[in-house]
Amino acid sequence: MTFITLPKSRRRGKGSDILEEKRNNTFVPNSCHGKTEMFMPISRNGRETVFLTVLVLGILFKSVHACDVDRCWEESQVAYQTLKRQLSSSEAKDTDIRCTSLRTYLHCLENLHGCKGIIKFHSVKKVVKNQMSHYQCDPSLEIWTGTPITLLPPDELCTYHGKKEYRHCGLFGDPHIRTFDNKFQTCRVQGAWPLVDNDHLTVQVTNEVVSRSVRATATTKLTVLIKGNRDCASDSYILYQADSYMLPGSFNDGQTKYGKSHSVSLVEIDPGRHVEITMKYIDTKIVIRLVGNYLTFLIRMPEQLLPVNSTNKNNLELCVRGCPKSEIIDYKKFLALKEKQVSESDVNMSRQEAEDLCRSANLVDFYFDSCVFDLLTTGNDTFIYSALSALQDVLKSDPDFQRNSENRTKLTIYDKMYRDVGNSAPCVKTSYLNLLTVFALILVSFFNLYLCRT
C-alpha cells in the first residue's frame, strides 16, 4: 500500500501550522487546522493507487459475501421444520426428514462461489458429509425445494385466525339441550352419549335416571378429550373427567396449562363447582359446573370448525344433530297436561307451585320451561339452580341470546296449543262414527236390492 507524503515545507503566514503550534506550546485561533489548506492535492499515481485499493477490497467483500455458509444452514433448518410438520413423527420418517435436510445443506454448500480459501466452508462441508454417513443418507436422492413455512411467534401460531362467528351448545337438568342449531329439546338419552366429536376434541356425557314416571335422566359424568396438536396442545391428547362427586381443578395428569403461550388452559372459577377450559388455537371455551349431584355443560365454538352436514345418520353428536326422535320427551305437552293436576310421579307439587319457584329465580323461556319440568318430575329444587347457572352461562357467552329472548315466564302458550288439540278430538271421533254409519247404510241398501232381484 502506498502512503501519500506531505511536503515538509509549509507556507507560513498569518495562520501557522498546527505542528508548529504544538512545538511552541501555543494555539493560534483561526489557524489552518480544519481548513482546506490541510488537504493537499493527490497526484495521478496516488489516485490510481486508491482506486486499486478500493477495487481489491470490493472483490474480497464480494467473495466473502458469496460464500454464505450460514444461509445454507438456515435453508436446511427450514427444510427440516417444514417436513417435520407435514409428515408423521415416527422414527423412520424422522430419519428421512433429517437426510433430506442434510442433502439440502450439502447441495447449497456445493453451489456456493468464492469459498476456496474459507476454512469455515471446508469444515462445515466435512461435518455435513459425516452426518450423512452416520444416518446412511443416499446423496443421490431428492433435496427439499418446497415453499418454506411461515414460522410465527408462539402467540400468533396458537391463535385462531378464522371468522369470529360462533355457535353454542348447552346441556343441563333432566337433561335439556340447546344444539348448535338453536334447537331446544328435553331428552331421555340414558347412558353414555357424545355431545361433540370432531377433529379437535370429543365431549361425552353419561346420564342416569332421576324420574321413573317419564324416564327423565340427568348428567352424572362428563369427559373432555382434547386431541393431539404438537404446537398448541399435546403430542397425544389431554383428558379431563368430572362426575357427580368431584369437579377437578386440573386435567387428569394434574396440569392446568398446555402448549405454546399456554394455548390450552383450565381455570378453576369456583373450586369444586365451576371450571372453564379454553383452547385459544381453535377459539373454543367449555364451561362445566357441578350443581348438587349433577353436571351442566356449555361450549362455544367457531362456526367454521363445525360439520357442514348434520344429517349424517351415523353422527350421534347431541350438540350437532340433537336427540334421536325415540329419545325426545315432548315437554310442552307434559307441561300442558299438568295445568290442573298434580304430578303423577312421587312428587306432590302442582304446576302453579313449580312455576312460582322458577319465576322467582328469574328464569325465562326454555330455561323457565325446563325448571318447571324438572320440579314436576323430581321435586328436587337443585334443578332450579342448574337452570339458572345454565342461563347465566349462555347470557355471558352468547350476547345474541338476550337480544332474541322473549323473556317469557308463563306456560299459557302450551295450554292453548294442547287444549285446542284436545277439543278437536271429539269432533274427529264423531265424524268417524258418522262415516261408519253411512257406510253401513249403503251396505244394507245393496243387500236389500240384491234380495229383491232374487
Side-chain angles (χ1 to χ4, degrees):
M1 183 177 291
T2 304
F3 295 92
I4 302 171
T5 306
L6 296 175
K8 293 183 179 180
S9 61
R10 302 291 298 273
R11 190 177 66 179
R12 300 178 182 275
K14 185 176 181 179
S16 62
D17 190 272
I18 192 168
L19 298 177
E20 188 68 24
E21 293 168 9
K22 284 187 176 181
R23 258 195 309 272
N24 299 330
N25 293 321
T26 62
F27 178 78
V28 180
N30 299 320
S31 68
C32 68
H33 178 57
K35 295 189 176 183
T36 55
E37 296 177 21
M38 285 289 293
F39 304 98
M40 303 300 293
I42 301 175
S43 66
R44 181 179 178 182
N45 291 336
R47 287 197 297 270
E48 291 176 354
T49 302
V50 172
F51 175 76
L52 290 174
T53 302
V54 172
L55 180 62
V56 170
L57 288 173
I59 292 172
L60 289 173
F61 177 78
K62 184 177 180 182
S63 298
V64 173
H65 182 70
C67 189
D68 192 353
V69 177
D70 292 338
R71 179 178 63 83
C72 294
W73 179 83
E74 292 172 358
E75 187 175 323
S76 70
Q77 289 302 300
V78 171
Y80 181 81
Q81 292 178 19
T82 302
L83 295 172
K84 189 76 172 175
R85 291 170 184 272
Q86 294 174 350
L87 302 175
S88 64
S89 58
S90 64
E91 184 177 353
K93 288 290 184 182
D94 186 69
T95 303
D96 293 341
I97 293 170
R98 196 172 295 276
C99 284
T100 302
S101 173
L102 290 169
R103 281 193 296 268
T104 303
Y105 201 168
L106 184 62
H107 179 268
C108 179
L109 292 171
E110 290 176 342
N111 283 275
L112 293 177
H113 300 286
C115 298
K116 188 174 181 180
I118 307 298
I119 297 176
K120 179 180 179 180
F121 166 77
H122 295 286
S123 300
V124 170
K125 191 173 180 180
K126 184 177 181 180
V127 170
V128 173
K129 288 183 176 180
N130 289 340
Q131 286 288 309
M132 291 181 66
S133 176
H134 174 74
Y135 288 105
Q136 299 180 349
C137 302
D138 186 348
S140 64
L141 294 180
E142 74 282 352
I143 64 172
W144 180 80
T145 58
T147 303
I149 58 172
T150 303
L151 298 177
L152 298 171
D155 284 341
E156 286 294 314
L157 179 64
C158 296
T159 298
Y160 180 71
H161 297 283
K163 293 182 179 179
K164 304 294 184 179
E165 297 175 356
Y166 303 98
R167 295 288 182 130
H168 301 78
C169 176
L171 183 81
F172 65 97
D174 273 2
H176 313 284
I177 186 168
R178 176 199 181 190
T179 68
F180 284 129
D181 292 332
N182 284 322
K183 296 177 183 175
F184 296 93
Q185 298 175 337
T186 296
C187 311
R188 297 183 182 91
V189 288
Q190 182 179 355
W193 290 80
L195 289 176
V196 180
D197 187 11
N198 54 43
D199 294 337
H200 306 283
L201 74 157
T202 297
V203 180
Q204 180 174 290
V205 293
T206 300
N207 303 312
E208 296 181 2
V209 174
V210 293
S211 174
R212 296 292 178 184
S213 60
V214 291
R215 293 193 295 131
T217 63
T219 304
T220 56
K221 294 180 182 178
L222 187 145
T223 300
V224 178
L225 187 146
I226 302 173
K227 298 181 181 179
N229 185 303
R230 184 180 296 112
D231 292 315
C232 303
S234 172
D235 287 342
S236 53
Y237 62 88
I238 304 171
L239 188 65
Y240 179 82
Q241 291 178 304
D243 57 36
S244 56
Y245 302 102
M246 181 180 295
L247 188 70
S250 65
F251 294 106
N252 273 28
D253 59 359
Q255 297 191 59
T256 58
K257 293 179 174 62
Y258 281 91
K260 296 176 180 178
S261 298
H262 299 154
S263 54
V264 176
S265 64
L266 186 150
V267 179
E268 206 170 17
I269 307 299
D270 186 1
R273 296 181 180 180
H274 179 187
V275 299
E276 294 185 1
I277 300 173
T278 303
M279 291 152 275
K280 290 198 300 184
Y281 63 103
I282 55 173
D283 202 8
T284 295
K285 176 177 282 189
I286 294 175
V287 180
I288 305 170
R289 294 178 184 262
L290 178 61
V291 184
N293 292 325
Y294 303 106
L295 297 161
T296 70
F297 165 85
L298 179 136
I299 184 171
R300 186 203 69 181
M301 284 195 75
E303 188 174 0
Q304 280 186 324
L305 302 182
L306 298 175
V308 177
N309 183 12
S310 62
T311 60
N312 182 3
K313 294 182 179 180
N314 295 323
N315 187 357
L316 297 177
E317 299 171 70
L318 299 182
C319 281
V320 176
R321 291 196 64 195
C323 300
K325 289 183 179 180
S326 60
E327 298 293 328
I328 295 176
I329 299 174
D330 190 346
Y331 71 92
K332 298 177 182 179
K333 183 178 180 179
F334 175 87
L335 294 174
L337 294 177
K338 299 301 181 212
E339 180 185 8
K340 294 182 180 180
Q341 53 181 278
V342 177
S343 176
E344 296 175 357
S345 64
D346 296 334
V347 179
N348 186 18
M349 181 182 292
S350 68
R351 197 188 81 172
Q352 186 59 51
E353 291 174 321
E355 284 188 64
D356 292 341
L357 289 172
C358 297
R359 195 176 292 115
S360 63
N362 295 320
L363 293 165
V364 297
D365 299 339
F366 177 68
Y367 298 88
F368 174 77
D369 302 343
S370 302
C371 173
V372 175
F373 179 92
D374 293 350
L375 288 178
L376 292 177
T377 53
T378 68
N380 187 346
D381 60 1
T382 298
F383 288 110
I384 300 176
Y385 305 105
S386 177
L388 181 59
S389 298
L391 178 58
Q392 290 173 344
D393 291 337
V394 168
L395 293 175
K396 182 180 178 181
S397 177
D398 184 10
D400 291 336
F401 179 84
Q402 189 168 12
R403 286 194 292 266
N404 299 326
S405 177
E406 298 177 0
N407 292 321
R408 177 178 51 79
T409 58
K410 295 182 180 180
L411 302 175
T412 52
I413 184 174
Y414 305 143
D415 297 336
K416 185 177 184 304
M417 183 187 306
Y418 287 95
R419 187 182 301 118
D420 293 343
V421 172
N423 292 337
S424 64
C427 297
V428 173
K429 186 175 181 181
T430 303
S431 300
Y432 180 69
L433 291 174
N434 292 337
L435 183 62
L436 287 177
T437 302
V438 171
F439 183 70
L441 290 173
I442 292 173
L443 286 179
V444 170
S445 299
F446 275 109
F447 183 72
N448 290 334
L449 183 60
Y450 174 77
L451 291 177
C452 292
R453 286 184 180 181
T454 56

